[in-house]
């Protein structure tokens, strides 16, 4: 993260960085977001295709954040892809705004760096990729609370709240949640053994098959997360991005895994342990992402026409949270103030409902019982 901050500082013409903080019940978290956009104008994010990438959602998957650093180094042109034409790449990047979350789970990463190399959850023991609202809380027969604790409610965790607000305000055309543990290219859904149908499926499958042919060959499996990985995952970020936010291309990528590693050796299972493998993973997968950056404009076309209309409505809380996040990005207000504002709005609305019920009761009590039958009992409090 220090290297990423220094990188952003060296390239203010291409990169900007903001750190968003949130907290509840004595637990605080922060998420840093790096934005790549060549020509920074007020309406640039709306006129270009928007890509949102998240790394380090699970603390033990250290290699994913290394990949984020490599991608940002190439975007800033401090590193280059030897097999890719720079001119054509620059032409493709001109059409994009890319937001990179290098380390979504900073608190969980600190636990890993302190010695617990198998920890995937956040700083208070919740799996951030089970804390989203789509099919939240369902437990399979082999449910392991150490691995998959979904939290006390959807979006109970500050990290998930920050990511939800970021997604709703940014409205990405492409989402990729980057993990390690195997090599795979997954599309929705994680919580069931099906994929979307129609044009969305054709677009996603076409992109993944081209990426597999160019970079993965036989190493990567393609399909829905729930249908390919061997188990269903409930309350995941990618299912939320596709179903609720309406992201037309929503993926989970698994970039490395050592199937020979002991289950006790989590570092080896999820991360390369020698320099040659480390460099190969970063080289192969950074090339994969830049191929995607070139293909996305071809697959989606006009950015405003490619946002899906989600089958499910976004709740008023999610809409207002996204609206307030957008205002915070534009005017630089602090997140704590906005969180307080949201709590006040919800409190005043509930007080308004309660006051209306009490006024109705007082009005009816003043009218003759013969003319006004009691109706308060029919109103749920």
């Amino acid at each position: 993260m220090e290297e990423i901050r220094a990188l952003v500082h060296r390239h203010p013409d291409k990169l900007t960085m903001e750190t968003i903080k949130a907290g509840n019940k004595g637990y605080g978290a922060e998420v840093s977001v790096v934005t790549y956009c060549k020509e920074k104008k007020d309406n640039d994010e709306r006129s270009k295709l928007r890509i949102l990438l998240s790394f380090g959602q699970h603390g033990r998957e250290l290699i994913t954040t290394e990949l984020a650093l490599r991608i940002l180094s190439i975007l800033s042109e401090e590193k280059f892809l030897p097999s890719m034409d720079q001119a054509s790449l620059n032409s493709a990047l001109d059409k994009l705004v890319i937001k990179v979350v290098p380390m979504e789970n900073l608190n969980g990463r600190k636990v890993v760096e302190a010695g617990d190399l198998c920890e995937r959850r956040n700083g208070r023991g919740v799996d951030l990729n089970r804390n989203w609202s789509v099919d939240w809380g369902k437990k399979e027969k082999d449910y392991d609370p150490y691995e998959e604790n979904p939290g006390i409610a959807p979006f109970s965790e500050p990290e998930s709240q920050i990511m939800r607000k970021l997604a709703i305000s940014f409205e990405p055309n492409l989402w990729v949640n980057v993990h390690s543990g195997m090599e795979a290219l997954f599309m929705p859904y994680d919580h069931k053994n099906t994929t979307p149908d129609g044009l969305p499926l054709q677009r996603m499958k076409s992109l993944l098959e081209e990426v597999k042919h160019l970079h993965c060959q036989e190493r990567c499996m393609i399909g829905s997360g729930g249908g390919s990985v061997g188990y269903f995952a409930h309350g995941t970020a990618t299912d939320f991005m596709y179903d609720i936010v309406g992201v037309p291309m929503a993926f989970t990528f698994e970039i490395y895994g050592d199937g020979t590693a002991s289950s006790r050796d989590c570092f080896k299972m999820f991360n390369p342990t020698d320099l040659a493998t480390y460099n190969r993973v970063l080289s192969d997968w950074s090339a994969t992402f830049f191929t995607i950056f070139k293909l996305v404009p071809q697959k989606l076309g006009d950015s405003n026409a490619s946002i899906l209309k989600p089958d499910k409505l976004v709740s008023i809380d999610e809409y207002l949270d996204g609206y307030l996040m957008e205002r915070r990005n534009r005017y630089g207000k602090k997140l704590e103030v906005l969180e307080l504002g949201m709590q006040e709005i919800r409190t005043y609305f509930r007080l308004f409902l309660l006051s209306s019920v009490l006024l109705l009761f007082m009005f009816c009590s003043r009218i003759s019982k013969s003319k006004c039958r009691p109706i308060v009992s029919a109103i749920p409090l």
Side-chain angles (χ1 to χ4, degrees):
M1 293 306 297
E2 290 177 1
E3 289 185 51
I4 288 172
R5 279 188 282 271
L7 186 70
V8 172
H9 181 73
R10 292 194 297 271
H11 299 278
D13 57 322
K14 298 184 182 76
L15 302 174
T16 57
M17 185 174 183
E18 61 177 333
T19 298
I20 307 166
K21 297 181 180 181
N24 59 51
K25 298 182 179 180
Y27 175 76
E30 63 180 54
V31 174
S32 294
V33 185
V34 180
T35 301
Y36 170 85
C37 185
K38 278 189 174 180
E39 299 176 5
K40 300 183 180 69
K41 298 178 182 178
D42 289 342
N43 62 348
D44 241 20
E45 289 190 2
R46 296 297 130 204
S47 63
K48 297 185 177 186
L49 285 165
R50 300 171 297 280
I51 294 176
L52 180 57
L53 310 176
S54 177
F55 303 81
Q57 190 180 47
H58 289 149
R60 66 192 178 191
E61 298 165 13
L62 289 78
I63 187 61
T64 64
T65 297
E66 298 293 320
L67 178 59
L69 173 59
R70 176 64 62 89
I71 290 171
L72 291 170
S73 298
I74 297 170
L75 286 171
S76 66
E77 299 185 38
E78 288 197 4
K79 291 184 181 294
F80 297 91
L81 291 167
S83 60
M84 195 165 290
D85 177 62
Q86 193 65 36
S88 64
L89 177 59
N90 287 337
S91 176
L93 292 174
D94 286 342
K95 304 171 185 175
L96 305 176
V97 177
I98 304 170
K99 286 189 181 291
V100 176
V101 177
M103 193 182 294
E104 181 181 329
N105 184 7
L106 177 63
N107 292 337
R109 174 64 176 258
K110 289 177 179 178
V111 173
V112 171
E113 292 187 357
D116 187 351
L117 301 181
C118 287
E119 183 60 83
R120 65 184 252 146
R121 304 167 300 175
N122 73 349
R124 63 176 170 192
V126 174
D127 183 345
L128 297 179
N129 206 30
R130 301 294 185 272
N131 192 232
W132 298 70
S133 60
V134 175
D135 210 42
W136 174 86
K138 185 174 181 180
K139 298 177 176 63
E140 297 293 325
K141 292 180 179 180
D142 59 350
Y143 167 74
D144 181 352
Y146 182 84
E147 289 281 299
E148 298 184 277
N149 177 16
I152 60 173
F155 303 109
S156 62
E157 304 310 294
E159 298 94 340
S160 304
Q161 295 167 13
I162 292 169
M163 292 301 297
R164 177 187 64 176
K165 294 173 185 179
L166 176 61
I168 291 172
S169 63
F170 184 50
E171 293 184 332
N173 304 95
L174 172 76
W175 154 266
V176 184
N177 193 9
V178 183
H179 287 268
S180 63
M182 60 191 307
E183 287 191 275
L185 306 167
F186 292 140
M187 66 183 86
Y189 289 96
D190 295 323
H191 70 280
K192 54 186 177 181
N193 187 16
T194 61
T195 59
D197 52 21
L199 181 59
L201 174 62
Q202 294 173 22
R203 283 174 169 171
M204 288 189 285
K205 191 173 181 181
S206 171
L207 178 69
L208 294 186
E209 286 178 345
E210 196 161 346
V211 166
K212 179 179 179 179
H213 173 71
L214 292 172
H215 299 286
C216 261
Q217 289 79 44
E218 299 305 315
R219 298 198 314 271
C220 299
M221 67 174 70
I222 290 180
S224 70
S228 303
V229 78
Y231 60 87
F232 294 150
H234 308 276
T236 68
T238 294
D239 283 359
F240 180 88
M241 294 296 176
Y242 184 79
D243 256 9
I244 305 301
V245 182
V247 181
M249 287 189 168
F251 302 118
T252 300
F253 287 0
E254 299 271 353
I255 65 168
Y256 176 81
D258 186 344
T260 68
S262 163
S263 60
R264 299 177 183 177
D265 191 352
C266 291
F267 188 87
K268 185 178 181 183
M269 184 182 295
F270 294 97
N271 305 280
T273 56
D274 64 87
L275 186 59
T277 307
Y278 170 86
N279 286 329
R280 177 190 64 77
V281 171
L282 296 187
S283 177
D284 288 353
W285 282 97
S286 58
T288 299
F289 273 93
F290 281 88
T291 295
I292 290 172
F293 297 160
K294 292 179 70 174
L295 290 175
V296 165
Q298 301 171 21
K299 302 291 183 183
L300 289 179
D302 179 67
S303 62
N304 294 322
S306 57
I307 297 295
L308 293 176
K309 297 295 183 183
D311 294 333
K312 301 176 184 177
L313 294 176
V314 176
S315 72
I316 187 64
D317 279 0
E318 289 170 352
Y319 177 82
L320 287 174
D321 281 353
Y323 173 83
L324 289 173
M325 174 64 74
E326 191 170 70
R327 300 287 79 72
R328 189 194 68 79
N329 286 340
R330 181 172 296 177
Y331 302 119
K333 294 183 183 295
K334 292 183 178 180
L335 183 64
E336 291 83 0
V337 176
L338 297 180
E339 289 292 347
L340 180 60
M342 277 302 302
Q343 292 299 325
E344 289 176 341
I345 290 171
R346 293 169 182 143
T347 300
Y348 289 146
F349 182 70
R350 289 163 184 154
L351 287 173
F352 169 76
L353 290 178
L354 180 61
S355 300
S356 299
V357 172
L358 291 174
L359 286 171
L360 183 62
F361 174 79
M362 293 171 65
F363 175 76
C364 287
S365 67
R366 289 179 174 271
I367 299 176
S368 170
K369 292 183 179 179
S370 63
K371 293 183 179 181
C372 181
R373 297 174 61 190
I375 63 173
V376 176
S377 60
I379 300 175
L381 297 180

